[in-house]
Every structure is written in structure tokens, then in C-alpha cells.
Amino acid sequence: MTVPDRADDAPLSTTLPGTWRLLSRIDIAGGQPHADPALGSDPIALLIYDRAGNFSAQFMKRDRSTAPVDGPIGASNNTQAQGGYDAYFGTYAVDDATGVVTQRLLGAISNGNVGLVLSRVMTVRGDSLIIELQTNAWDGTPVTRTLTWQRVG
């Protein structure tokens, strides 16, 4: 993971708390976009970080009638969607020096995700949150996933 450039002087631990709505979710493999049948390329999502160190994330495929029933098991650094929906919550800690947020999942829609520890590079610029992670796509292909969020609260 790389240390993100900071556009704001405030530390990530100060700028991250809030409610965020997903604007885009892009998976890239070998320099090309890589489709995700579990949640699609434009899911609806809400992400909440509070100042006490708790977080919650929910993702839904816009058209769940075409969603696979379950996501892949054991995707690297990622959770498993079910029926076009993914949700999990837990606690988080911020490393202001590296821009890495570590999330510990206390609950999840997929039983296999409970207890996972996930690390994400995050950058807040104004009312935008950028999250980048290395993971595996539905078919096992390694991808770089970039999620762009807008602060809504």
C-alpha cells in the first residue's frame, strides 16, 4: 500500500468520521475494467464511520434480479456478497502516518466474514473519500478496486 497524498492538512482520523454515499466502484485488472457480477459496476452503497471507532458498510447491486446467489469464498482482502447484497459492521482504527484504516468485522451478512480484519488505504479530500484496495474479482482475477464516496453527513 502506498501513502496517499494529503490535500487537507487535517489527519485522516479527524476527516474520516461521517456518512458517505458511493459515487463509483471500479475494478481494474491488467489495466482494463473488470466486471463484477456480484454487485455490478454501479452499486448503491452507504458507509458510516463514527468518532468512537465504529463503522458500518452496506452495498447493493442496483438490479438484484440478475445477481448471483453468493459471492466467492476466500476473496483476498474482501467480503462476500449474497444475492447482490453485502453488509458488515465493526470497529476501525486509523494510522494517520500511512493513511491505512484497519477494520475488524464484528458482524456481516456472510457468516464467513465475521472476525475478518481488512485494511484499506483511504484519502479524504474535502467531501470526497477515496478507498483503494487489492482484492480478487468474482472469478478470482486479482484486481485493484477504487471506491469514490461523497460525504452526505
Side-chain angles (χ1 to χ4, degrees), residues 5 12 25-26 41 59 69 78 86 89 115 118 137 139 142 152:
D5 294 329
L12 182 60
R25 180 178 182 266
I26 301 169
S41 60
F59 295 81
V69 175
N78 206 357
D86 195 6
F89 66 91
L118 305 171
D139 62 5
V152 293

Side-chain angles (χ1 to χ4, degrees), residues 50-128:
D50 73 13
R51 295 196 182 283
N54 301 292
F55 85 98
S56 176
Q58 296 190 53
F59 295 81
M60 186 183 81
K61 184 175 184 176
R62 287 184 188 269
D63 178 5
R64 292 177 67 192
S65 68
T66 62
V69 175
D70 290 331
I73 295 174
S76 169
N77 196 30
N78 206 357
T79 56
Q80 179 185 12
Q82 293 186 355
Y85 198 87
D86 195 6
Y88 47 92
F89 66 91
T91 61
Y92 75 97
V94 177
D95 183 332
D96 283 322
T98 63
V100 173
V101 176
T102 301
Q103 302 170 132
R104 298 183 190 290
L105 278 55
L106 301 176
I109 196 167
S110 175
N111 197 32
N113 292 336
V114 176
L116 282 179
V117 176
L118 305 171
S119 295
R120 310 277 188 254
V121 173
M122 299 189 188
T123 305
V124 174
R125 289 193 175 103
D127 285 334
S128 295

Side-chain angles (χ1 to χ4, degrees), residues 22-35:
L22 186 65
L23 297 177
S24 68
R25 180 178 182 266
I26 301 169
D27 288 354
I28 301 292
Q32 299 296 318
H34 192 83

